[in-house]
Amino acid sequence: MSLAADDAKLPSDPEFRAAFIGYVEWATRLAVINSTPGADLDYQAPVLHWGWGVAPPYVPGD
């Protein structure tokens, strides 16, 4: 993803890249959890939002 960010000419400063990669990792974890056979999907789960802070862990039912 960092190479794709380079190709897209996204900012290269460390703070931006850390937030960007953290967001991608968070979204990937959710995708893996939700695509597991037999997964109990939460259709009321929060929509992913961009932010500069650390991505919060997903807690079902919150």
Side-chain angles (χ1 to χ4, degrees):
M1 286 307 298
S2 62
L3 293 176
D6 290 341
D7 290 346
K9 300 191 183 338
L10 295 178
S12 62
D13 67 271
E15 183 179 3
F16 176 86
R17 288 298 175 98
F20 176 73
I21 296 299
Y23 179 83
V24 170
E25 289 175 352
W26 178 50
T28 301
R29 284 193 303 273
L30 287 178
V32 168
I33 290 167
N34 290 332
S35 64
T36 302
D40 184 21
L41 300 178
D42 181 358
Y43 293 100
Q44 301 301 317
V47 175
L48 304 177
H49 294 279
W50 175 261
W52 283 104
V54 174
Y58 171 64
V59 179
D62 276 357

